[in-house]
Amino acid sequence: MATHSNNPKHGNLPLETTEFIGRSRQTDEVLEAFGTARLVTLTGPGGIGKTRIALRAAARTAPGLAQGAWLVELSPVLSPDLLEHTVAGVLGVADQTNRPLIDVLSDYLRERELLLVLDTCEHLVKECAELARTLLAAAPGVRILATSRQALDIPDEHRVVVGPMDTGPEGEAPALLRARAWPDGDPAPDDGDQGELARLCALLDGVPLAIELAAGLLRATSVDHLVHRLDERMNVLSSNAGAEPPVTDEGLDDCVPTVHRPVRHSGLRTTIGWSHEWCTPQERLLWARLSVFPGSFDARAVDFVCSVDPLADCDLTEVLDGLVDKSVLLREGPPDDSRYRLLDTVREYGAEWLDRLGESDRLRLRHRDYYRLLAHRGEQEWIGPDQARWQAGTVTELPNLRAALDTCLATEPDTALEMASDLVYFWFCCGHLREGRHYTEAALALAPDRPRGAARALWSCGMVAVGQGDLEAASRLTAEARALAEKYADEPALAGALCVHASALTLQGAPDQALPLYAAAHEQAARTGPRIIELISLPVWGYAHMMLGDADGVRARVDRLKELTSPIGEMWAGAYADYVWGNQCIAQGSPAEAIAPLCSSLEAKCHLDDLYGMAVTLDSLALAATGDRRPELAARIFGLVDRAWSVLGTPHLGSPEMTEHRRTCEAAVRAALSPTTYATHYAEGAESPSIHTGVTALLATLDAGTP
């Protein structure tokens, strides 16, 4: 992925990695438009440079806005249902309740001042228009900059049409071609070649993407040869009545059929087509197959998805390198962990080829199978030392995982149940509850007859519902899961159902009813799995003992959890041992002793970017600070945890006991401080650039021993 700004307060715009050439008029027009309009849409054909102009204009706008500018890349979003999820994810709005997400976004943005950049809206025009209309009405400080091949067509939209670059000898187009073809100071063409450069740019219609592709071709040929070949090709196209001459892939004749492609009288289309013909047969076929990836991808995924005849015996690393050299494929990240990406227009061209080759269905299924296996591997390896790597990696692969889940839903309901359930580690442990419930409920809706695999999906969905504070739904889902597990003698699913049901009972204030369920769930999971239930049953079981005043019961569950997690380097569940013990210290009147284990839990949750875990731990840390007579610290934590719950949704998971603890402690802190002092320390937490940043600063303060 592109490198982004590291200041979360001012947005996520990518840093420019190549020189911005020209386009000052269009950039200024966008900036001027925001003087009177709150929605500006850059329109124009694919490859014309809309995104680059939008990012430059956004970068110039961001410093004047309190919360900066935020880029939402929509090209990987294939389902309209995920538009709001994607916007929420970019903004860090993790509200996990069942409220309509558009209401959550509206509430979050109501008092904020920022620019939202919706990039590549054309496949979601109706949905983007409705989103923009709603957010602009709800949040007066929000501006929206959209890029699309067509306008959103809503009231008060200001449209900026992006056309070709100036192709004259001194124009923007030749300047761009020179910068991209000779980026490292290599000798530029002689002055006598300026006319040929301008002519080449004119043949390319002044389209920036076409010029960038041509710059890649200039690494292998001269300007005059490229002009001659392109001019010749354009003449052929203009005289062709219906289709281009057939193109045969030499060396793959037996496997790849001859394809007739429709004429597109466009410099970009012609240049992409010629870049395609400039590729080797293996590169052309790989280009087509790579179009099934909606987002970025790595070489391992390419090997699995694309290594079928006639590429089964090819070294695809070399083929990928060839596509990068020809500027067809973008390589991102460090050399030892590279990812690749196709630009939208280039992907569309490859997808057309894939469809005409009759391979679209096969490649989509191979893509589905790779990411289904990746999800299963994540589920298997989550309980172990690599949780931070799996968390970050799953976030990176989310566009591909979504596409694979959508394919599962369209092709195999049983596989959809399996994949949605495998990803419970991501949905629940990494804070993607709302999206997890969306996919799991969609899979369950396709299986009304409730096959065996539905039992696992039901308790997984119930686990997500607990995280949302939807305890009624959790109880209903787990009751059905338990009945189904007993019907099929599915012991792992029974363990999951019992544990999640017990968790719901605990949060509903019935820990005595939950204890036998925890015992049964843990014993069953220890014998048959799943490991996540074996571990997570222990801290919530210990919490139930704490609610009943049984310190020995708490200590036994905490010690057992440490025994299971410490030897294998597991962090996520193990952190809850510290969390529960910290709460026990508070309960037995030793708040000062609670701070160290709670900080340990908070540090682990911060490392895993587990917002849910951070929120519940901050709640308890505020109680400990209050009991330890540190009201300034407690006020600061109140501000930070309130911000966390405003993002997550239901405060304190809907637990009446937790809510009452907060009310009592806040009253004590307010009584100990003047209103001004309380407000100052509260704001220090509430106004942190991000929750993650606020937690990191808080831990540093506590490590330093600051009162």
Side-chain angles (χ1 to χ4, degrees), residues 566-614:
S566 295
I568 61 174
E570 198 278 344
M571 294 177 61
W572 176 78
Y576 281 119
D578 290 322
Y579 167 76
V580 171
W581 187 246
N583 279 278
Q584 177 60 30
C585 291
I586 296 170
Q588 63 192 23
S590 303
E593 295 178 18
I595 291 177
L598 289 173
C599 285
S600 178
S601 175
L602 188 59
E603 184 176 10
K605 295 303 182 182
C606 188
H607 185 64
L608 293 173
D609 203 24
D610 178 3
L611 183 57
Y612 166 90
M614 285 189 275

Side-chain angles (χ1 to χ4, degrees), residues 111-190:
E111 303 300 325
R112 285 173 166 80
E113 184 183 57
L114 58 82
L115 173 66
L116 198 60
V117 183
L118 302 178
D119 186 38
T120 316
C121 297
E122 54 265 12
H123 61 305
L124 299 168
V125 168
K126 179 181 176 183
E127 293 76 16
C128 287
E130 184 58 33
L131 176 79
R133 183 186 294 110
T134 303
L135 295 184
L136 291 173
V142 168
R143 305 177 188 181
I144 295 176
L145 176 56
T147 73
S148 179
R149 296 181 191 179
Q150 67 181 89
L152 301 189
D153 196 23
I154 63 176
D156 301 321
E157 175 185 25
H158 184 102
R159 181 179 175 185
V160 175
V161 179
V162 181
M165 299 181 101
D166 177 8
T167 60
E170 302 302 322
E172 297 173 339
L176 176 63
L177 182 59
R178 285 192 295 270
R180 298 297 185 261
W182 299 280
D184 300 320
D186 292 338
D190 295 334

Side-chain angles (χ1 to χ4, degrees), residues 543 546 579 582-587 590-592 594-595 598 615-631 633-635 637-638 641 652 657-669:
Y543 198 91
M546 184 197 72
Y579 167 76
N583 279 278
Q584 177 60 30
C585 291
I586 296 170
S590 303
I595 291 177
L598 289 173
V616 295
T617 306
L618 284 167
D619 266 338
S620 297
L621 193 57
L623 304 186
T626 303
D628 195 33
R629 298 181 181 179
R630 301 169 71 175
L633 176 62
I637 298 171
F638 285 150
V641 74
H652 325 301
E657 183 183 47
M658 291 182 183
T659 302
E660 179 59 23
H661 281 323
R662 165 59 190 268
R663 188 194 66 78
T664 302
C665 287
E666 184 173 354
V669 170

Side-chain angles (χ1 to χ4, degrees), residues 346-586:
V346 176
R347 183 189 299 110
E348 290 168 7
Y349 189 90
E352 290 178 16
W353 265 86
L354 192 68
D355 188 53
R356 291 184 175 90
L357 292 169
E359 286 202 336
S360 295
D361 289 342
R362 177 168 72 150
L363 266 292
R364 273 197 295 270
L365 293 178
R366 290 186 67 84
H367 178 276
R368 175 202 68 186
D369 289 344
Y370 177 79
Y371 287 99
R372 177 175 61 84
L373 291 171
L374 185 67
H376 183 67
R377 184 180 165 204
E379 188 268 341
Q380 294 291 304
E381 296 185 11
W382 175 252
I383 301 301
D386 295 326
Q387 288 176 329
R389 180 175 65 84
W390 274 108
Q391 184 272 336
T394 308
V395 169
T396 299
E397 295 290 7
L398 189 53
N400 287 306
L401 290 165
R402 286 170 170 169
L405 280 162
D406 288 336
T407 304
C408 287
L409 291 169
T411 57
E412 293 184 9
D414 288 351
T415 303
L417 287 171
E418 177 187 353
M419 186 174 179
S421 301
D422 279 339
L423 284 167
V424 71
Y425 79 89
F426 184 64
W427 309 138
F428 185 77
C429 305
C430 302
H432 293 261
L433 301 173
R434 185 186 288 269
E435 191 164 347
R437 192 158 177 187
H438 164 79
Y439 274 115
T440 310
E441 288 184 340
L444 286 166
L446 294 176
D449 54 341
R450 294 295 188 254
R452 179 186 178 97
R456 180 169 170 240
L458 284 162
W459 75 252
S460 297
C461 196
M463 194 172 188
V464 167
V466 167
Q468 292 179 303
D470 191 355
L471 304 180
E472 182 179 342
S475 297
R476 172 177 49 80
L477 288 162
T478 51
E480 188 178 356
R482 183 173 179 177
L484 202 60
E486 291 172 345
K487 173 183 176 181
Y488 289 109
D490 187 343
E491 294 179 330
L494 180 59
L498 291 171
C499 179
V500 176
H501 188 199
S503 300
L505 287 171
T506 301
L507 290 171
Q508 287 170 326
D512 53 332
Q513 298 177 43
L515 290 183
L517 300 181
Y518 285 127
H522 179 73
E523 187 274 334
Q524 182 66 61
R527 286 191 296 105
T528 66
R531 289 295 306 282
I532 193 171
I533 293 299
E534 180 188 7
L535 298 186
I536 196 57
S537 61
L538 289 166
V540 285
W541 188 3
Y543 198 91
H545 277 292
M546 184 197 72
M547 292 173 68
L548 294 168
D550 180 6
D552 291 340
V554 177
R555 182 82 263 178
R557 310 311 159 214
V558 167
D559 289 347
R560 180 57 179 156
L561 185 54
K562 288 288 190 181
E563 289 173 6
L564 291 173
T565 58
S566 295
I568 61 174
E570 198 278 344
M571 294 177 61
W572 176 78
Y576 281 119
D578 290 322
Y579 167 76
V580 171
W581 187 246
N583 279 278
Q584 177 60 30
C585 291
I586 296 170

Side-chain angles (χ1 to χ4, degrees), residues 296-298 330-332 337-341 396-397 400:
S296 65
F297 47 88
D298 60 24
L330 302 180
R331 180 159 39 208
E332 303 168 335
D337 191 26
S338 292
R339 294 185 68 82
Y340 302 88
R341 180 169 59 89
T396 299
E397 295 290 7
N400 287 306

Side-chain angles (χ1 to χ4, degrees), residues 148-327:
S148 179
R149 296 181 191 179
Q150 67 181 89
L152 301 189
D153 196 23
I154 63 176
D156 301 321
E157 175 185 25
H158 184 102
R159 181 179 175 185
V160 175
V161 179
V162 181
M165 299 181 101
D166 177 8
T167 60
E170 302 302 322
E172 297 173 339
L176 176 63
L177 182 59
R178 285 192 295 270
R180 298 297 185 261
W182 299 280
D184 300 320
D186 292 338
D190 295 334
D191 289 343
D193 289 329
Q194 297 304 308
E196 286 295 277
L197 283 176
R199 186 179 176 203
L200 175 58
C201 291
L203 287 169
L204 300 174
D205 294 337
V207 176
L209 178 55
I211 292 168
E212 301 246 8
L213 290 170
L217 296 175
L218 285 174
R219 298 173 190 140
T221 189
S222 64
V223 175
D224 57 351
H225 179 65
L226 192 57
V227 167
H228 174 74
R229 289 287 304 276
L230 188 57
D231 194 21
E232 185 179 68
R233 180 174 174 79
M234 293 291 282
N235 289 334
V236 170
L237 286 175
S238 63
S239 64
N240 190 309
E244 297 180 37
V247 177
T248 302
D249 285 325
E250 297 177 6
L252 300 179
D253 290 349
D254 295 336
C255 303
V256 181
T258 295
V259 176
H260 291 267
R261 287 176 282 126
V263 174
R264 307 284 178 93
H265 297 289
S266 158
L268 173 59
R269 183 72 182 188
T270 301
T271 308
I272 294 177
W274 197 21
S275 294
H276 187 262
E277 293 177 13
W278 202 272
C279 293
T280 67
Q282 290 83 7
E283 290 168 351
R284 297 179 210 170
L285 187 55
L286 184 60
W287 177 350
R289 290 178 174 177
L290 293 176
S291 67
V292 300
F293 293 96
S296 65
F297 47 88
D298 60 24
R300 292 181 296 274
V302 175
D303 283 339
F304 184 99
V305 176
C306 302
S307 290
V308 290
D309 287 338
L311 297 180
D313 298 324
C314 290
D315 182 351
L316 291 187
T317 301
E318 292 185 3
V319 185
L320 287 168
D321 288 343
L323 290 172
V324 171
D325 290 342
K326 295 177 177 66
S327 300

